[in-house]
Every structure is written in C-alpha cells, then in structure tokens.
C-alpha cells in the first residue's frame, strides 16, 4: 500500500503547525512553557505519518487526533484570538496564523487520508 497524497498533505500541515509554534516562541509570545509540548506532538506525528502510514494505516488516526488536540487546547486557552486580531504585532500574528491554519488543514487532510486508507473498493 502506498502513502496517499492526503497523508503527505497531512504531514506537511502538521509541520506547518510546528513552524507556527516556533515562530510564536521566537517572537516572544508570553505563556509558553520552557519546553512546550506542541512542537513535539505535531512534529512526531508528522514524522510517523510520513514514515509509517503506508505500512500501518492506523497511524493516520494520529494525524487527525494530534491537530484536533492542539486546536482544542488553543480554543480552551483562548489567547490566540488576540494574537490573530493584532496584525501589527507581526511575529505573534504570523505564528498563530500558521499554527491555527496548519492544524485545521492537517485535521481535514487527516480525515481525507483515513477515509482513503479505509475505503472499500466496490466489486463489480
């Protein structure tokens, strides 16, 4: 079984979310722990999707769960709205836009990858 385009897109958007988190950390967004878990969660998931999803289809579920987990955490924490509203503070704005856009797109591509991997082929 080959890795689908949706699985590759899922991994790309997971890595985009990592880039967004790194931009936020580097630009000094307050409230990040010394070792934030988000880049590790998204990055390791992206690596697993790229390297193992062709062999183990269930890995694709991680490509949905990880970005949804990060997105729910961001929604519950809530401070990202202020960063998205302040375009003038470019670093935090760009990092947040990359993160939120990346995890939403990763979740959507993850669902498509799971759907592709588990679809039944019609027998005629």
């Amino acid at each position: 079984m080959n890795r689908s385009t949706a699985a590759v897109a899922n991994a790309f958007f997971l890595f985009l979310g990592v880039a967004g988190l790194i931009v936020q950390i580097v630009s000094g967004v307050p409230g990040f722990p010394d070792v934030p878990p988000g880049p590790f969660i998204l990055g390791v998931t992206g690596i697993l999707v790229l390297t193992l999803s062709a062999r183990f289809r269930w890995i694709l579920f991680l490509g949905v769960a990880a970005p949804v987990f990060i997105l729910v955490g961001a929604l519950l924490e809530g401070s990202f709205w202020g960063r998205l509203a302040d375009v003038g503070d470019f670093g935090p704005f760009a990092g947040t836009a990359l993160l939120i856009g990346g995890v939403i797109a990763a979740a959507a591509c993850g669902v498509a990858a799971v759907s592709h991997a588990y679809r039944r082929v019609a027998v005629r």
Side-chain angles (χ1 to χ4, degrees):
M1 181 174 167
N2 293 330
R3 187 175 39 246
S4 69
T5 304
V8 173
N10 175 247
F12 170 79
F13 287 117
L14 288 166
F15 295 139
L16 189 66
V18 172
L21 283 166
I22 291 170
V23 168
Q24 289 183 64
I25 293 165
V26 170
S27 63
V29 172
F32 277 95
D34 292 336
V35 181
F40 296 104
I41 293 169
L42 296 176
V44 168
T45 303
I47 291 167
L48 290 173
V49 167
L50 278 180
T51 59
L52 298 177
S53 65
R55 190 171 206 185
F56 304 105
R57 294 183 302 178
W58 62 267
I59 292 288
L60 295 169
F61 288 102
L62 296 177
V64 177
V68 168
F69 177 77
I70 297 296
L71 184 60
V72 168
L75 289 169
L76 291 175
E77 193 270 334
S79 67
F80 78 94
W81 294 111
R83 291 191 296 278
L84 285 178
D86 189 7
V87 180
D89 197 4
F90 186 73
F93 167 78
T96 304
L98 285 172
L99 170 64
I100 300 301
V103 295
I104 289 171
C109 290
V111 169
V114 167
S115 174
H116 175 76
Y118 284 92
R119 74 172 179 234
R120 294 180 184 249
V121 178
V123 178
R124 293 179 190 227

